[in-house]
Amino acid sequence: QVQLVESGGGLVQAGGSLRLSCAASGRTFSDYAMGWFRQAPGKEREFVAAISRSGRTYYADSVKGRFTISRDNAKRTVYLQMNSLKPEDTAVYCCAASFVTYTDYAGGKREEYDYWGQGTQVTVSS
């Protein structure tokens, strides 16, 4: 089992920045690829970013160049730095863990992830 707890959400004006954190406990953190997903009201949960065990990163086109995912295996934490925020980034952001053997891979589909956090609300005002 892996437990995930997100923090860092809040209310920010358009153009501002937030840094989300996701702390993991349980099994060996470095065995997992990590991802961030978000869900806006009335919409499907969508992929935002992912990072492989080796640190390779993947991004949705909508956030590329604005968001940065990173991980600190010693702290068992994954981060999402969000810059140049837009009102359409408003959503509940959840982190997720995927047990993988291939160290360079991190998936972009919800069904590839085994464990999920409860989420943290991000609201961007115009």
Side-chain angles (χ1 to χ4, degrees):
Q1 286 283 345
V2 175
Q3 292 78 42
L4 303 171
V5 179
E6 302 94 336
S7 61
L11 173 65
V12 64
Q13 288 189 331
S17 299
L18 282 175
R19 188 195 195 201
L20 306 184
S21 299
C22 173
S25 60
R27 292 186 173 178
T28 305
F29 181 71
S30 59
D31 286 345
Y32 290 83
M34 301 296 296
W36 285 97
F37 290 76
R38 66 187 182 186
Q39 187 167 17
K43 294 188 176 182
E44 295 274 325
R45 184 172 292 186
E46 64 174 3
F47 169 74
V48 175
I51 186 166
S52 73
R53 293 173 58 192
S54 65
R56 184 174 181 177
T57 57
Y58 303 80
Y59 296 95
D61 288 342
S62 59
V63 307
K64 204 171 291 184
R66 300 188 298 123
F67 290 11
T68 302
I69 188 171
S70 61
R71 66 188 296 162
D72 185 332
N73 288 344
K75 295 183 178 179
R76 303 171 64 90
T77 301
V78 62
Y79 304 97
L80 186 68
Q81 177 67 44
M82 305 186 295
N83 299 328
S84 302
L85 282 161
K86 305 175 181 179
E88 51 264 43
D89 294 319
T90 295
V92 174
Y93 284 70
C94 294
C95 70
S98 171
F99 182 76
V100 292
T101 53
Y102 184 48
T103 57
D104 279 346
Y105 180 74
K109 299 179 181 179
R110 291 172 290 175
E111 53 268 30
E112 295 182 272
Y113 287 81
D114 307 298
Y115 302 99
W116 293 83
Q118 291 297 309
T120 184
Q121 176 70 46
V122 171
T123 303
V124 184
S125 64
S126 57

